[in-house]
Amino acid sequence: MKFLRALIAVPIWFLVGGTVLWLGAKYSGIFAGLLCSAAVLLPFAYVLISTFYPAWGDTKCPRCGKPALQRPDPKVALGVRCTACGFEDPEMYRAYLDEM
């Protein structure tokens, strides 16, 4: 399956690259300005979006499906407890539960 995806992806990327080169040759002034603007603004936009939209932990309980998972001990990274149904798993790890 991975080989098939790679086999399909390679011609698509060549097509994208050829299109970019063709657009750059045909509309050199406008296209160069857009590329330079994108090169400057996209990293800034990425940092801005990452700052205001932080990662969220998955608090959905595997048993009842309600968003009520918490850590029993905030100092230990392993272990979760559901406040809705009482589900407990001392070995389960869910990232970012401490920050929520």
Side-chain angles (χ1 to χ4, degrees):
M1 189 68 175
K2 288 183 182 181
F3 176 74
L4 185 61
R5 274 191 244 155
L7 193 64
I8 294 171
V10 169
I12 289 174
W13 280 113
F14 274 114
L15 183 66
V16 168
T19 304
V20 168
L21 289 175
W22 178 76
L23 286 172
K26 185 168 177 139
Y27 306 104
S28 61
I30 296 170
F31 197 64
L34 287 175
L35 284 177
C36 289
S37 299
V40 170
L41 293 178
L42 283 177
F44 177 73
Y46 174 77
V47 169
L48 193 66
I49 290 169
S50 297
T51 301
F52 289 116
Y53 191 73
W56 291 23
D58 183 15
T59 60
K60 187 185 287 187
C61 176
R63 184 189 295 165
C64 68
K66 295 181 182 175
L69 281 185
Q70 294 179 344
R71 291 206 195 281
D73 184 8
K75 296 178 183 176
V76 180
L78 288 177
V80 293
R81 162 182 78 215
C82 179
T83 57
C85 69
F87 171 79
E88 287 191 28
D89 188 350
E91 298 296 319
M92 184 180 282
Y93 174 74
R94 291 283 172 99
Y96 305 115
L97 282 182
D98 298 334
E99 290 83 14
M100 302 193 64

